Amino acid sequence: MGRRINQINASILVNAVYAMQGYPAMLISNLLSPLSIIIIVSFVSHGMLTSIAIAGAFMTLFVGGGLSIQADLAHLKNDFKFQDMIVSSPTGALAYLVGMALSELIFILPSLTVLIILAFLFLHASLSAMLVIVVVLALMYTFATVFGFFLSTITTDVLQSWAFSGILSILLTTIPPVYYPITYIPLPYRYVAYISPTTYAAGIVQNALGFLPLPPTTLAAYWVIIIAVALALFAVAIKKNKWRDA
Amino acid sequence: MDGISCSRLSKSYGRSKALDRVSFSIPHNGIFALIGRNGAGKTTLTRILATELMPSSGSATVDGLDVVKDAVELREEIAALPQEARAISWMTPRQTVISYLMYRGLGYGEAKVASDEAISHVGLEGHANVLNSKLSGGQKRKVLLASVLASGARIIFVDEPTTGLDPISRSEIWSILVRLKKERLIFLTTHYLEEAEKLADKIGILDNGKLKAAGSLDEIRKLVKYQYSIRVLQKDRKTGIKEGEEIVGEDGYAQIMTTEKEAYGLSTGFIKDRVKFSINQVSLDDIFYYIVKKPLNAEEEKEEGEW
Ligand SMILES: Nc1ncnc2c1ncn2[C@@H]1O[C@H](COP(=O)(O)OP(=O)(O)OP(=O)(O)O)[C@@H](O)[C@H]1O
Ligand SMILES: [Mg+2]
């Protein structure tokens, strides 16, 4: 158990602590991106969507932050052959993944702190709503990191990993209506949003906060969809990852 | 107990065979050097044994553990430095070694002590706290070498550990490896035949995915038909050879590989004719050229290269 923790801490050092010490600019860039969208959305909506945008920023922060594991691990694997060094060590894929997922969490901490302060000021969520939000965010984060890890193991160079990042960020953070309710999207286009699992996660969050009324059956269906998609992709990630090269 | 043992180990990429039914075994301590041309399959074999790559067929055990079935247990005993591994640019040498040792299970405190020791072993104590990105190519290589050498693993795989190091650094690494080999098995690949000759207790020659020879230098010498190597200026020679092989180099010197009897005859002839020449037992260089440049005859080649 103690050894596992040392192995997990190693990833946190490599990918978060030492990275920030080496390149402090990384922190600032991570802080800016979610805040800038909240500001734009509140200006454009004359403040009407500020609270929903804050909820959305939580979603983007966790999904986007989780997905950045893909580019980070691909970089380590392909440019430093780091994965091979770790594969041949006592650290297994799971300990590596958990450590790296925690390291990405450290990167979002500063933004998270700011968002929590904003949430206290602008969002008036009940305890049960907060619980729902925490569960949804945790699920989406786990989903994003596991899938990002899987993709990183099958990349062989940086261009490929950029392509994966581009596709994933559009699919999971741009298309889904996280900063505004889905009803703002004109109907035929709304179906496009439904291909993204984040749409359902955002729907659940907005519902919990009272921004998006949903019949109980629809709400249940949303939960089933995000859990099913997460489980299906976990299965793919576990079966098809190339932790040990084939 | 065997250190490493392979049986008909193969790796195919589509139709091409990177490794073709490789079989050999080596004892559990000492240095094993694998040599072969670019693309011969050295990295492929090393990665399979270090549990980084799956074989296509055949089997291999390291320290008595199967590289496929017992990989999890085996990884406690081995450490590997991949050929193209680079020290991570945003970390310092010290942070690099510490984190690698933590991945091996050590706590931060222990890892720190062991890392300082390893860094001074490779002569980087003056650079322990600068970013890896500010080190020279050879210094970066030493950072990763320090990591695997500090690991305490019983079996260490190092793929071209000294490529890019200056002669003095190289001999420093050699002395570290020699010191370590007493209780450990070091499996290394190299393009420096001198390195293999000086360091290795056993040498393997890989060519086109096939293991053409494996054993101590003396054992490998016996595999080639000719045991002596004579070097003489071609234009001074008055006699040809009855038995053996000769290559005339760009420098005008003929390199003759031949039997003991023929070598004796040639030498006495050269002495009589007052021709300057040198005679040696065949070196690993000679053997390497002999084996790799032209395939051994079918009758000389054992069925699937069992060593
Ligand atoms: N991922 C891969 N896909 C297809 N072929 C590969 C792959 N990796 C290696 N090969 C092929 O396998 C053969 C052996 O490669 P390997 O890297 O083991 O050679 P090597 O002896 O280490 O060469 P070098 O001295 O240049 O490092 C080569 O012909 C190479 O093209
Ligand atoms: Mg190689």
Side-chain angles (χ1 to χ4, degrees), chain A residues 38-56:
Chain A
I38 299 181
I39 292 168
I40 292 168
V41 173
S42 356
F43 285 173
V44 170
S45 70
H46 302 287
M48 270 174 56
L49 290 176
T50 306
S51 40
I52 205 165
I54 292 169

Side-chain angles (χ1 to χ4, degrees), chain B residues 182-198:
Chain B
K182 288 180 195 105
E183 330 79 82
R184 306 198 214 188
L185 170 57
I186 294 158
F187 184 107
L188 67 84
T189 73
T190 183
H191 287 296
Y192 303 109
L193 300 181
E194 177 204 1
E195 179 168 306
E197 203 162 349
K198 277 208 177 119

Side-chain angles (χ1 to χ4, degrees), chain B residues 42-43 83 159-160:
Chain B
K42 300 180 299 296
T43 296
Q83 177 173 2
D159 196 354
E160 297 193 24

Side-chain angles (χ1 to χ4, degrees), chain A residues 18-79:
Chain A
Y18 294 153
M20 286 179 198
Q21 277 175 8
Y23 307 146
M26 291 179 76
L27 254 178
I28 300 167
S29 119
N30 271 284
L31 189 59
L32 290 181
S33 51
L35 297 185
S36 57
I37 301 183
I38 299 181
I39 292 168
I40 292 168
V41 173
S42 356
F43 285 173
V44 170
S45 70
H46 302 287
M48 270 174 56
L49 290 176
T50 306
S51 40
I52 205 165
I54 292 169
F58 276 102
M59 185 66 73
T60 330
L61 187 64
F62 279 90
V63 176
L67 285 177
S68 50
I69 204 173
Q70 193 274 130
D72 287 353
L73 297 192
H75 181 41
L76 286 171
K77 170 183 189 266
N78 302 315
D79 301 326

Side-chain angles (χ1 to χ4, degrees), chain A residues 3 6-7 11 14 18-19 21 23 76 79-82 84-91 100 244-246, chain B residues 11 47 50-54 67 75-76 78 80 82 84-86 88 90-91 95 99 103-107:
Chain A
R3 298 186 65 211
N6 294 336
Q7 293 169 349
S11 291
V14 169
Y18 294 153
Q21 277 175 8
Y23 307 146
L76 286 171
D79 301 326
F80 301 106
K81 296 284 175 256
F82 190 65
D84 268 357
M85 280 194 80
I86 305 305
V87 169
S88 58
S89 86
T91 296
M100 288 299 177
R244 180 178 190 169
D245 209 349
Chain B
K11 178 75 192 177
R47 292 185 70 220
T51 75
E52 293 159 16
L53 177 68
M54 290 295 258
V67 296
R75 288 168 181 158
E76 299 285 340
I78 61 173
E84 286 171 329
R86 287 173 45 213
I88 296 175
W90 59 83
M91 305 204 302
Q95 292 171 340
S99 55
Y103 277 117
R104 301 204 59 95
L106 265 60

Side-chain angles (χ1 to χ4, degrees), chain B residues 216-233:
Chain B
S216 65
L217 189 55
D218 281 338
E219 286 165 340
I220 290 180
R221 261 194 200 115
K222 293 194 187 109
L223 296 172
V224 291
K225 242 158 114 187
Y226 309 115
Q227 270 67 48
Y228 285 86
S229 168
I230 294 175
R231 195 173 142 82
V232 59
L233 201 57

Side-chain angles (χ1 to χ4, degrees), chain A residues 117-150:
Chain A
I117 295 169
L118 289 177
F120 267 109
L121 297 176
F122 295 99
L123 270 185
H124 306 287
S126 65
L127 211 61
S128 65
M130 279 200 248
L131 192 70
V132 169
I133 294 170
V134 168
V135 171
V136 173
L137 292 178
L139 189 70
M140 291 306 286
Y141 188 72
T142 315
F143 156 75
T145 48
V146 172
F147 199 59
F149 164 75
F150 156 65

